[in-house]
Amino acid sequence: ETKPPVVEPMFTGLAIEQGPSSLGFEPRKETVTCLILHHTAGSLPSSLEILQGKDPKHKVGVHYLVTDEPKPRVIRMVPENQAAYHAGKSAWGKLNGLNQHSIGIEIINYDGNVYPYSEAQAAIIFALCDEIVRRYDIRPWNVLAHSDVSVGRKVDPGLKFPWAKLASLGIGAWPLPNEVADNLRKKQNLSPTHVRGLLTAYGYALEPGDAGLKLGVEAFQRHFRPAKVDGIIDAESVVILEALLRRYQPAAYRTVRFKP
C-alpha cells in the first residue's frame, strides 16, 4: 500500500500555538489536495471543547483554529499528517469524503453570513492559508468553503468571508472582473441543464432535480456572488461561473460549452 508523503509544517513568521489535542481524526491515507474553511458558529471556549472530539456521537476535529480575539491566534489541534473529522459528508469533483483529502481550518465567528471577519483575523487566515497552499501545491479551485463541499447541508464560512481578497493574494479562485463585466453584455445560456453542467464541471456535487440545482447555485453564489444569494439562475451567476472555468479549468469548460 502506497502512503501519501508526510509534509512537515514549516511556518515562516506565523506563530502556531499547540492547543488541546483532539480525538476527531484518523490516519491519513490520501494525499492532501484541498483546503477547507469553516466558521465555528460558537465562542472560543465552546469551540475548543467541541473540537476535542470527546463526544462519541459527534467526534469532530480540525487541524487549525483561528481565534477572534483583538490579536487573533492560530491553534493547532490535529497534526496535518492525520485526517481530521472536519468536513463530514462531503464531495468535490471526483472526491468523496473530503476529510482524507484536505486540511481544515475553523474560524471563530458566530455566523459568517451575518458577521464580518475582522481585518486582524483575516490577515492571520491569509498567512495560514498561504503557507498551506504553497506546501501542498493546492490548486486555486480546491481552496473551498465548507458550503462548497457540503451543498445544502452547510453555509460556512459564509458570505461575509473575504474570498476576493484571499484570491488577490494568490490563494484560491476568483474571476477576472473585466471578463465578467464584458460578458454580462452578451446573451447567456441560462438553461438548467447547462448550468448544472457548469457547476459539476467546476466541482460541485449536486443532488438530482430542480431542488438539487437550486442548492448548488446557492452554494456557488455564497462563495462567488455574495451580494445576492438566492439560488436563482441569473446572467451574472452564469457569467461568473463560466469565467472561473475558462480561467482555471479550460478543458472542462470546453467540454460543457460545446456539449451537443
Side-chain angles (χ1 to χ4, degrees):
E1 182 183 354
T2 303
K3 294 185 178 180
V6 175
V7 182
E8 292 295 335
M10 292 185 65
F11 294 93
T12 304
L14 182 63
I16 305 293
E17 176 183 321
Q18 182 59 51
S21 60
S22 174
L23 300 175
F25 70 88
E26 64 186 14
R28 191 178 293 287
K29 301 173 184 177
E30 304 290 346
T31 301
V32 171
T33 55
C34 299
L35 174 61
I36 302 175
L37 304 179
H38 310 251
H39 69 223
T40 60
S43 67
L44 177 57
S46 66
S47 298
L48 280 170
E49 179 67 26
I50 292 168
L51 291 169
Q52 290 178 56
K54 295 177 180 178
D55 183 350
K57 297 178 182 178
H58 190 54
K59 191 173 280 190
V60 296
V62 75
H63 297 99
Y64 299 101
L65 176 66
V66 179
T67 72
D68 62 342
E69 300 151 309
K71 189 176 181 180
R73 296 174 291 145
V74 178
I75 300 172
R76 179 191 287 115
M77 298 192 70
V78 173
E80 288 184 17
N81 62 358
Q82 305 292 339
Y85 296 150
H86 65 97
K89 184 181 178 182
S90 52
W92 184 253
K94 297 179 181 179
L95 304 177
N96 280 292
L98 272 290
N99 287 339
Q100 277 290 339
H101 305 273
S102 64
I103 299 295
I105 299 174
E106 286 275 5
I107 307 160
I108 300 294
N109 187 313
Y110 282 94
D111 185 347
N113 293 288
V114 177
Y115 305 108
Y117 294 81
S118 72
E119 288 188 15
Q121 193 180 39
I124 291 290
I125 295 165
F126 297 158
L128 179 61
C129 289
D130 180 60
E131 202 282 332
I132 293 169
V133 165
R134 288 173 192 258
R135 191 149 37 78
Y136 291 99
D137 192 25
I138 295 173
R139 304 289 78 194
W141 56 90
N142 286 338
V143 178
L144 300 159
H146 196 187
S147 53
D148 290 322
V149 301
S150 297
V151 172
R153 191 173 72 86
K154 295 295 181 178
V155 295
D156 59 309
L159 53 85
K160 297 291 186 181
F161 188 81
W163 292 110
K165 175 66 173 177
L166 195 68
S168 74
L169 298 173
I171 309 157
W174 201 255
L176 297 170
N178 291 345
E179 184 179 0
V180 171
D182 290 344
N183 283 295
L184 269 174
R185 301 186 183 98
K186 304 172 185 176
K187 187 176 180 180
Q188 303 301 319
N189 180 355
L190 304 183
S191 77
T193 300
H194 178 63
V195 175
R196 178 179 283 274
L198 293 171
L199 286 168
T200 302
Y202 192 71
Y204 288 91
L206 308 180
E207 293 294 327
D210 293 343
L213 178 57
K214 187 176 189 296
L215 289 173
V217 172
E218 183 178 309
F220 174 79
Q221 292 169 336
R222 194 176 300 280
H223 188 145
F224 294 104
R225 211 278 300 273
K228 188 179 182 184
V229 179
D230 55 11
I232 296 172
I233 296 171
D234 59 21
E236 186 178 31
S237 297
V238 171
V239 165
I240 292 170
L241 181 50
E242 291 194 338
L244 286 165
L245 280 164
R246 278 194 298 269
R247 185 175 187 184
Y248 299 107
Q249 301 183 61
Y253 172 69
R254 286 193 295 271
T255 300
V256 178
R257 184 70 174 174
F258 302 110
K259 190 173 183 179

